């Protein structure tokens, strides 16, 4: 972000955007779109709702991490690093996710590359190759990647995108049942109106 802007890129993408999405979903479902449909805003109103969005985004970040990052991506699915390094094979779930969203992320690296990475990590950690897990390899690789200027920039860009996507995904999980309930309620009301005429 620019020097004059009070938020970092991560705060804007991960917190403000997801908070605004949540406000928009609640506003649309329960007030008929009072905020979403508003065409004129004062500066004070704009700043106020941006701050509210930021706070809601911050509140959503912890459960977002727990639900999306850990429960969904590490318990229900194997981590992409586990598959890439050949520590765990893709199950049907990973095949489906790979086919739908992330084929490259859920593809194993070649055996030669896997062996080279695992051997280097095992040497650095002073453990046997068979004792490695994906998290241990990451802990070795991350500081090395951050030490390269180009890699550090790409990691920063990825972190912004990741925070945005994770938090938006979580808010979508919250918004979907609200929208489904609104759709159901609206159709029930329409059916009742049609029946009474």
């Amino acid at each position: 972000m620019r020097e004059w802007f009070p938020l970092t890129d991560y705060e804007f993408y991960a917190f403000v955007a997801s908070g605004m999405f949540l406000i928009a979903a609640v506003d649309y479902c329960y007030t008929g779109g009072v905020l979403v449909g508003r065409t004129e805003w004062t500066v004070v109103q704009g700043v106020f709702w941006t701050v509210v969005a930021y706070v809601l985004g911050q509140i959503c970040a912890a459960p977002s991490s727990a639900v999306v990052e850990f429960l969904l991506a590490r318990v229900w699915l194997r981590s992409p690093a586990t598959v890439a390094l050949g520590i765990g094979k893709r199950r049907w779930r990973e095949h489906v996710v790979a086919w739908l969203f992330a084929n490259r992320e859920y593809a194993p690296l070649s055996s030669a590359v896997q062996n080279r990475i695992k051997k280097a990590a095992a040497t650095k950690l002073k453990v046997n190759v068979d004792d490695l897990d994906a998290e241990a390899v990451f802990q070795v690789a991350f500081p090395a990647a951050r030490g390269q200027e180009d890699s550090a920039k790409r990691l920063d860009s990825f972190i912004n995108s990741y925070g945005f996507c994770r938090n938006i995904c979580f808010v979508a999980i919250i918004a979907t049942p609200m929208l489904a309930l609104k759709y159901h309620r609206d159709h029930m009301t329409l059916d009742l109106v049609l029946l009474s005429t």
Side-chain angles (χ1 to χ4, degrees):
M1 290 284 165
R2 291 183 168 80
E3 294 290 324
W4 54 266
F5 197 70
L7 301 173
T8 65
D9 288 349
Y10 185 82
E11 289 173 320
F12 180 78
Y13 291 112
F15 303 138
V16 175
S18 59
M20 284 186 173
F21 182 29
L22 183 58
I23 289 169
V26 171
D27 177 51
Y28 176 74
C29 291
Y30 297 107
T31 69
V34 171
L35 293 174
V36 174
R38 183 181 289 180
T39 56
E40 292 184 19
W41 291 81
T42 66
V43 172
V44 172
Q45 290 170 332
V47 169
F48 173 78
W49 284 107
T50 301
V51 171
V52 171
Y54 175 78
V55 170
L56 282 174
Q58 284 276 11
I59 291 168
C60 287
S64 167
S65 177
V67 171
V68 177
E69 187 175 348
F70 290 96
L71 183 64
L72 182 62
R74 294 188 186 211
V75 174
W76 191 70
L77 296 170
R78 286 202 167 112
S79 75
T82 299
V83 173
L85 294 170
I87 295 169
K89 294 192 181 296
R90 288 195 288 189
R91 299 166 297 186
W92 68 269
R93 294 173 236 187
E94 286 81 24
H95 279 287
V96 170
V97 170
W99 183 74
L100 289 172
F101 306 111
N103 190 37
R104 201 174 78 191
E105 286 75 10
Y106 270 114
L109 297 168
S110 69
S111 296
V113 173
Q114 287 177 4
N115 292 335
R116 196 172 85 216
I117 291 170
K118 289 192 282 190
K119 185 176 177 186
T123 302
K124 181 88 172 166
L125 294 170
K126 298 182 174 103
V127 297
N128 292 325
V129 171
D130 296 334
D131 295 334
L132 285 174
D133 62 12
E135 187 62 31
V137 175
F138 174 81
Q139 293 303 328
V140 171
F142 185 71
R146 289 295 292 174
Q148 304 294 321
E149 185 179 342
D150 181 55
S151 295
K153 285 180 185 174
R154 294 176 90 181
L155 284 170
D156 288 340
S157 175
F158 171 79
I159 287 169
N160 293 335
S161 298
Y162 175 79
F164 171 78
C165 292
R166 184 195 69 192
N167 293 353
I168 289 292
C169 179
F170 179 73
V171 170
I173 291 169
I174 294 171
T176 299
M178 288 191 307
L179 291 166
L181 182 62
K182 177 180 175 23
Y183 177 80
H184 178 68
R185 264 194 340 249
D186 290 352
H187 281 285
M188 291 274 293
T189 305
L190 182 61
D191 290 345
L192 289 172
V193 168
L194 291 174
L195 287 172
S196 65
T197 56

